[in-house]
Amino acid sequence: MKCLGCGKPGLETKELEENLWVKQCQQCQGIWIPASSYWKWLKIHGETIPEIASDETGVSETDEAREIRTCLDCGHFLTKRKVGHGINFHIDRCTTCGGMWLDNNEWEVLKS
């Protein structure tokens, strides 16, 4: 399985948060979150997810052209979805199965 960020093979399965299993690239630190894994995690943690202080350095969206990304679970195209709430980047999400690709540091920004 190739990384959607850097194209290198070999995403590794890891526990990103307690009960949240993802595949992560060891080169660029991009993260694939399967929808089923995310929803199970959210059901367990729901309202008890602690907020952490926001990091102003965060992640910024660039206007550079990029190749079309496809879902690692079902093969459909990913679409860019604006996060909103004052966060100035987009995440790549599968409109078919709901899987998400997060580039380096985007998970930390979303948690904050």
Side-chain angles (χ1 to χ4, degrees), residues 15-26:
E15 191 173 25
L16 184 64
E17 300 286 335
E18 184 177 354
N19 300 307
L20 179 58
W21 291 93
V22 303
K23 295 193 180 301
Q24 185 170 32
C25 177
Q26 298 306 303

Side-chain angles (χ1 to χ4, degrees), residues 52-92:
I52 57 174
S54 178
D55 178 4
E56 293 299 322
T57 59
V59 178
S60 63
E61 181 69 30
T62 64
D63 292 329
E64 295 177 16
R66 64 178 177 89
E67 65 185 60
I68 295 173
R69 293 177 172 175
T70 55
C71 179
L72 296 177
D73 290 332
C74 71
H76 286 88
F77 293 119
L78 301 182
T79 59
K80 289 176 69 167
R81 301 290 178 104
K82 185 164 179 61
V83 175
H85 302 286
I87 299 173
N88 65 343
F89 67 89
H90 296 73
I91 61 171
D92 294 292

